Amino acid sequence: MSNETTPAIQQPGLESLSKSFEPAALEAHWGPEWEKRGYGVAGHRGSQTPKSDAPSFAIQLPPPNVTGTLHMGHAFNQTIMDSLTRYHRMMGFNTAWIPGTDHAGIATQIVVERQLQGQGISRHDMGPTPAEARKNFVSKVWEWKEQSGNTITEQMRRMGDSVDWSREYFTMDDKLSKVVSETFVKLYEQGLIYRGKRLVSWDPVLQSAVSDLEVENTEADGKMHYILYPFSEGPQLIDGVMQKGMTIATTRPETMLADGALAIHPEDDRYQHLVGKKVDLPLCDRQIPIIADDFVDRAFGSGCVKITGAHDANDYACSMRHNLPLITIFTLTATVNENGPKAYQGMDRFVARKAVIKDLEAQGLLIEIKPHKLMLPICARTGQVVEPMLTDQWFVAVNKVSPQDPTGKSIAQKAIDAVHSGQVSFVPENWVNTYDQWMNNIQDWCISRQLWWGHQIPAWYDEDGHVYVAKTEVEAQAQADAKGPGKKLKRDEDVLDTWYSSALVPFSTMGWPEALATSGASGSANPDKTQDYDLYLPSSVLVTGYDIIFFWVARMIMMTTHFTGRVPFKHVYIHGLVRDAQGKKMSKSEGNVLDPVDLIDGISLEPLLEKRSQGLRKPETAPQVRKNTQKEFPEGIPAYGADALRFTFAALASLGRSINFDSKRCEGYRNFCNKLWNATRFVLMNCEGQDCGLKEHTKAECAVGGPAHGYMTFSQADRWISSKIQRVEADVAKGFAEYRLDNVANVIYDFVWNEFCDWYLEIAKVQINTGDASQQRATRRTLIRTLETILRLVHPITPFISEALWQKVAPVAGRAGPSVSIAAYPVAQLDRVDEQAEAHVAKLKVLVDTCRNLRGEMSVSPATKLPLYVLGDSDFMKSAGPVLQALAKLNEVKVFDNEADWAKAAAAAPVAVVGEARLCLFMEVDVAAEKIRLSKEIARIEIEIGKANGKLSNEAFVAKAPPAVIEQERKRVADFEATLSKVKSQLAQIEAAPSAS
């Protein structure tokens, strides 16, 4: 039979498919098309309407900063989320993937301020009064947001993210801002928000408090200064020697101007008798006491430390315990204020350090200075050294129980219980320990920032300093008027920490608090089960990197459990962070970032060099960055397409801590897409316009070995591929359930590339060429149905190519529907697993591999067709003959019943044993020449073994060589010995063969 189609056969699907896979055109068409059709809108199978009896799958996108562009971490994170969303949509869940962008208070303000600096003005210059300047600056930020804030959403579309754009939010939207005010007022009324003077991390350039979590402790070369504090009463006895004073060690000598005491450990025998005595504070006209506190480390320095309560977190706690004065000696711009000695007032903190050291030296109080490695607290946003600063700030009392709370639990305790009760689970589980450790030691949350961009704190002050917290100024004025009419109010200038509004996202995006009126949560008799609040809260899973467990994950759990009584999500899937191919953190300032869109579209070398050498932390490293880039990408980056990039991310999504991203892996998955494209062309060529066995038929008509002219006769190979795909479907379902996208990707890859393309398509060619009509029909049906299933299976990971191909394949396979993205996902039917067929093909594969190995042993080109002589297992060999002949490039499969006849025919050819069969590839050889060749090969191998053994017996080599090198030598010996055994066996066979004598 020929597989050539007759002119009458119509193949429009095949004809409309380009000869090769070109991703750009598919992506340009299908991305906007899915969005136009509304498939991403929350609801059931892209219908935009939920189904009341369907389960729900919801996912919140960790809102990227409005200032940002999509980086590799986003692309990785979103590939996971989109794959999960597409999978559940196809599984028939009510599906919602909610996108949004964070207003990113600090980052956005910095971006716009830098633009203004370029024009030579500051935000303070933007109006005649501070209020006008602020108003105009905020307008400028909104203007910037409208123009530049949508970059990331366009990039998400390029990735194929099937989010619900109709529910897209911005954390400063009116709707979300109302929830911010509402929760703030509620917490204040519950006694859980307060304003107080506390020590916070302060950025003197931003002139704002920053979260401790936004402070990076960076190792630096510093100095340890040893300073003498003279005893006020004159020299004292220490360890039997009269000493002039106490010696302390500090890396920040300028802060001594604010010292409140010296402290020693209460059990330190050297100093116990000095507790209560005083020392003169150098450079200041003050005396400070010596106190005892067990936080002091006796082994550090002299065992005596200075206590500077207003400028160090540990010292602050100690000052509170001992009621020491809290003296602040820095202004908010980190210059010495009026509390410092006149000589230093107005000096920058680092200028003051030099002056203090110089004056201590002049007074003979600087004992020595030693080099010292220290951890500098750097603000991640500005790169400035953070200063601990005592300022008035707003806090959430996370460990306090509100008298109005019916649960009798603090906000933090509710969040701890949510995880311990199993309502929220972490994947992998070990992240629970990190969460617990932080939650059990959590301090009150500083939520105020001294910025202009953000949610302004809903608090107003009258002339007497009384505070009125309310949702609106009108409500605040009403509160003030109740105390006495005519009070003039001024709003608090601070804004809320960005993480405050993002902590509310799980419920602020779901219609809270209005939804409570119709929700089951309100106790109403007829809750509306189709509204977002009840369908999608809690969401199913939060997919995020481990770096924001504290920033965001813990705070969402705290706020959502407190305000709704529900958890925000059922699972937290913590994935690793994407690093470069060498395992280094990707950073624009280090010049090693990759833009996901460059991997999708490709980028030539020059623009890539330009892109990577801009915005470096150290501009002087630009030549090295360019050199490294040129070495890694000598010809730039080729266009891999979104599907190949997504497949790469999916295959890397294990439960590890970090992912080393090597772009070369994209090439492998681009090849996978090519393979799938070519396989589809082959299948359509053989199936479109043909009888693919899709008409109604009985089981009897499809039995193995059924009527010779039955409707369909399925071969063992047909049954094998149908059986294997059931196992694949089961493994894929398990992978999705366990958030092991790497397992999903690898199982599909292996099945498509190895089983379907490399084996089944080759077998199908033979069956179509040699089978009768019923066998051809069965093969075509298996081909087209298996391919159609593959396209649905792979769609969550590679949406574009699967959609483009499914549109052509599904009609031929008898599957109706407008899009693969809303088609039913394949579900395993394990009763269709056929172990007999699997065993048959496994045996066939071994035979083909054996023939290939025999060719290798005989050094015969794969293009040369040889006869296979087989003894034993006759029935199998005869049934598998045509397929074996095609796959193993044989010109004949000859089965012998008699051993003597087989031995005579086989002569000197190498023999292999497979099960109960013996087989050889026969080729006429010059016996004498072959004996000489094999003898020479034996001699060569024996020399190599001798050399390797000589190395291994050399004690000096074994002592010096790395273990890996020794192991390599041992492996070489083992490999040589295995080869030697085979070659000797071949020589013995030739010598024993009848024709050799």
Side-chain angles (χ1 to χ4, degrees), residues 59-66 74 78 97-103 145 149 152-153 156 163-165 167-173 176 505 509 552:
I59 201 162
Q60 287 276 356
L61 175 81
N65 287 353
V66 68
H74 290 129
Q78 289 168 19
W97 182 13
I98 312 296
T101 319
D102 193 274
H103 65 277
K145 187 261 176 190
I152 212 154
T153 56
M156 284 174 67
V163 298
D164 183 349
W165 292 112
R167 281 169 172 74
E168 184 184 4
Y169 65 84
F170 177 56
T171 48
M172 291 274 287
D173 287 345
L176 271 66
V505 156
T509 58
W552 197 45

Side-chain angles (χ1 to χ4, degrees), residues 158-400:
R158 293 299 315 278
M159 286 290 298
D161 291 347
S162 62
V163 298
D164 183 349
W165 292 112
S166 72
R167 281 169 172 74
E168 184 184 4
Y169 65 84
F170 177 56
T171 48
M172 291 274 287
D173 287 345
D174 286 347
K175 191 174 94 173
L176 271 66
S177 296
K178 281 177 187 166
V179 178
V180 168
S181 300
E182 175 104 9
T183 54
F184 188 98
V185 171
K186 276 185 186 293
L187 287 170
Y188 183 78
E189 288 169 352
Q190 291 165 359
L192 299 179
I193 274 184
Y194 64 92
R195 191 166 189 263
K197 196 179 278 293
R198 297 273 297 272
L199 203 64
V200 294
S201 293
W202 183 266
D203 186 315
V205 170
L206 267 182
Q207 290 193 48
S208 173
V210 292
S211 166
D212 292 344
L213 301 170
E214 284 166 317
V215 175
E216 293 174 353
N217 288 304
T218 309
E219 189 175 72
D221 292 320
K223 290 173 182 169
M224 186 65 80
H225 308 80
Y226 294 84
I227 302 166
L228 184 72
Y229 284 52
F231 291 117
S232 300
E233 299 172 14
Q236 301 290 322
L237 202 61
I238 300 174
D239 276 346
V241 180
M242 292 300 283
Q243 303 278 1
K244 187 180 174 186
M246 295 290 274
T247 301
I248 63 96
T250 179
T251 57
R252 303 172 68 215
E254 68 281 7
T255 61
M256 66 186 294
L257 306 175
D259 284 355
L262 296 187
I264 57 109
H265 194 280
E267 293 167 16
D268 193 330
D269 297 336
R270 296 171 295 173
Y271 305 129
Q272 279 176 332
H273 62 292
L274 300 172
V275 173
K277 293 190 180 295
K278 292 194 172 181
V279 293
D280 295 335
L281 179 61
L283 312 180
C284 298
D285 188 18
R286 283 195 293 122
Q287 293 180 343
I288 57 174
I290 297 170
I291 62 169
D293 195 293
D294 58 13
F295 96 99
V296 177
D297 178 359
R298 283 177 273 184
F300 175 75
S302 64
C304 176
V305 295
K306 60 198 262 325
I307 304 299
T308 318
H311 294 282
D312 178 274
N314 290 325
D315 293 5
Y316 176 78
C318 178
S319 298
M320 292 289 98
R321 288 192 293 273
H322 295 270
N323 202 23
L324 297 174
L326 295 172
I327 302 163
T328 300
I329 48 122
F330 291 137
T331 64
L332 298 179
T333 55
T335 58
V336 178
N337 66 12
E338 69 283 359
N339 294 331
K342 269 206 163 39
Y344 310 112
Q345 286 176 15
M347 283 185 183
D348 173 79
R349 55 186 164 163
F350 298 122
V351 175
R353 178 178 298 177
K354 289 177 182 172
V356 163
I357 292 167
K358 188 180 172 189
D359 291 347
L360 285 170
E361 202 167 17
Q363 293 183 24
L365 298 175
L366 184 67
I367 297 167
E368 64 176 329
I369 300 175
K370 289 183 181 176
H372 180 75
K373 288 273 185 204
L374 48 80
M375 300 305 285
L376 271 184
I378 304 290
C379 175
R381 297 288 176 199
T382 62
Q384 291 298 313
V385 177
V386 166
E387 196 65 49
M389 194 79 81
L390 203 59
T391 55
D392 285 312
Q393 302 289 347
W394 288 90
F395 294 87
V396 175
V398 291
N399 292 308
K400 179 182 174 184

Side-chain angles (χ1 to χ4, degrees), residues 104-123:
I106 295 173
T108 307
Q109 180 151 326
I110 288 172
V111 166
V112 179
E113 284 205 71
R114 280 180 185 156
Q115 285 185 349
L116 293 174
Q117 280 166 16
Q119 300 164 29
I121 57 171
S122 86
R123 61 185 157 117

Side-chain angles (χ1 to χ4, degrees), residues 609 621-633:
L609 292 173
T621 62
Q624 188 60 46
V625 165
R626 291 176 76 92
K627 191 177 169 186
N628 293 347
T629 302
Q630 193 149 8
K631 186 180 174 187
E632 192 176 356
F633 306 105

Side-chain angles (χ1 to χ4, degrees), residues 126 387 534:
M126 293 191 70
E387 196 65 49
D534 285 316

Side-chain angles (χ1 to χ4, degrees), residues 508-547:
S508 65
T509 58
M510 290 297 158
W512 186 94
E514 291 80 7
L516 293 176
T518 52
S519 164
S522 67
S524 66
N526 298 305
D528 178 2
K529 288 296 182 189
T530 59
Q531 65 168 350
D532 289 357
Y533 188 76
D534 285 316
L535 277 173
Y536 306 125
L537 180 71
S539 62
S540 309
V541 59
L542 176 74
V543 181
T544 187
Y546 61 79
D547 52 337

